[in-house]
Amino acid sequence: GVILVLVNTLFFILILIGAFATLAVLIRGVITMASGKDVTGERQNKLMVKRVGLQAATIVLVIIFLMFMNVGR
Protein backbone atom coordinates (compact mmCIF):
# COMPACT_ATOMS: atom_id res chain seq x y z
CA GLY A 1 0.00 0.00 0.00
CA VAL A 2 0.86 3.61 0.55
CA ILE A 3 3.17 2.88 3.50
CA LEU A 4 5.24 0.46 1.41
CA VAL A 5 5.65 3.10 -1.30
CA LEU A 6 6.74 5.66 1.30
CA VAL A 7 9.24 3.23 2.85
CA ASN A 8 10.65 2.35 -0.58
CA THR A 9 10.94 6.04 -1.47
CA LEU A 10 12.68 6.79 1.83
CA PHE A 11 15.19 3.97 1.35
CA PHE A 12 15.82 5.02 -2.26
CA ILE A 13 16.60 8.57 -1.11
CA LEU A 14 18.87 7.26 1.66
CA ILE A 15 20.68 5.05 -0.87
CA LEU A 16 21.25 8.06 -3.15
CA ILE A 17 22.58 10.10 -0.22
CA GLY A 18 24.89 7.24 0.77
CA ALA A 19 26.16 6.83 -2.78
CA PHE A 20 26.89 10.54 -3.20
CA ALA A 21 28.53 10.74 0.23
CA THR A 22 30.75 7.79 -0.71
CA LEU A 23 31.63 9.47 -3.99
CA ALA A 24 32.46 12.74 -2.21
CA VAL A 25 34.81 10.99 0.23
CA LEU A 26 36.41 9.08 -2.65
CA ILE A 27 37.04 12.32 -4.56
CA ARG A 28 38.49 13.98 -1.43
CA GLY A 29 40.83 11.00 -1.03
CA VAL A 30 42.00 11.21 -4.62
CA ILE A 31 42.58 14.96 -4.31
CA THR A 32 44.47 14.45 -1.04
CA MET A 33 46.64 11.78 -2.64
CA ALA A 34 47.29 13.90 -5.73
CA SER A 35 48.25 16.94 -3.69
CA GLY A 36 51.16 15.09 -2.09
CA LYS A 37 50.68 17.00 1.19
CA ASP A 38 49.73 13.89 3.18
CA VAL A 39 53.25 12.48 3.52
CA THR A 40 52.40 10.05 6.35
CA GLY A 41 49.20 8.82 4.69
CA GLU A 42 47.24 9.38 7.90
CA ARG A 43 44.61 11.57 6.23
CA GLN A 44 44.24 9.14 3.33
CA ASN A 45 43.75 6.27 5.77
CA LYS A 46 41.01 8.14 7.65
CA LEU A 47 39.25 8.93 4.38
CA MET A 48 39.51 5.29 3.28
CA VAL A 49 37.98 4.07 6.55
CA LYS A 50 35.17 6.62 6.18
CA ARG A 51 34.56 5.55 2.57
CA VAL A 52 34.42 1.86 3.44
CA GLY A 53 31.95 2.61 6.25
CA LEU A 54 29.74 4.63 3.92
CA GLN A 55 29.88 1.87 1.32
CA ALA A 56 28.90 -0.75 3.90
CA ALA A 57 25.99 1.36 5.16
CA THR A 58 24.79 1.98 1.60
CA ILE A 59 24.96 -1.74 0.76
CA VAL A 60 22.90 -2.56 3.86
CA LEU A 61 20.32 0.03 2.75
CA VAL A 62 20.21 -1.54 -0.72
CA ILE A 63 19.63 -5.00 0.80
CA ILE A 64 16.81 -3.68 3.00
CA PHE A 65 15.34 -1.81 0.02
CA LEU A 66 15.35 -4.99 -2.06
CA MET A 67 13.72 -6.93 0.78
CA PHE A 68 10.90 -4.36 0.94
CA MET A 69 10.53 -4.53 -2.85
CA ASN A 70 9.99 -8.30 -2.60
CA VAL A 71 7.45 -7.86 0.21
CA GLY A 72 5.40 -5.62 -2.07
CA ARG A 73 5.06 -8.33 -4.73
Side-chain angles (χ1 to χ4, degrees):
V2 174
I3 293 176
L4 191 60
V5 170
L6 290 175
V7 169
N8 283 343
T9 303
L10 174 66
F11 273 98
F12 186 75
I13 291 169
L14 290 174
I15 290 166
L16 285 177
I17 291 170
F20 282 116
T22 302
L23 180 64
V25 172
L26 177 65
I27 289 171
R28 284 182 60 193
V30 169
I31 290 171
T32 300
M33 185 176 63
S35 72
K37 294 178 183 176
D38 187 21
V39 179
T40 62
E42 185 177 338
R43 179 77 178 138
Q44 289 177 31
N45 192 42
K46 286 180 183 179
L47 287 171
M48 182 178 64
V49 169
K50 186 182 280 190
R51 179 183 53 83
V52 170
L54 285 168
Q55 282 177 319
T58 304
I59 289 170
V60 169
L61 288 171
V62 168
I63 291 169
I64 295 170
F65 176 73
L66 291 174
M67 287 171 52
F68 274 109
M69 293 278 292
N70 287 332
V71 168
R73 291 185 180 185

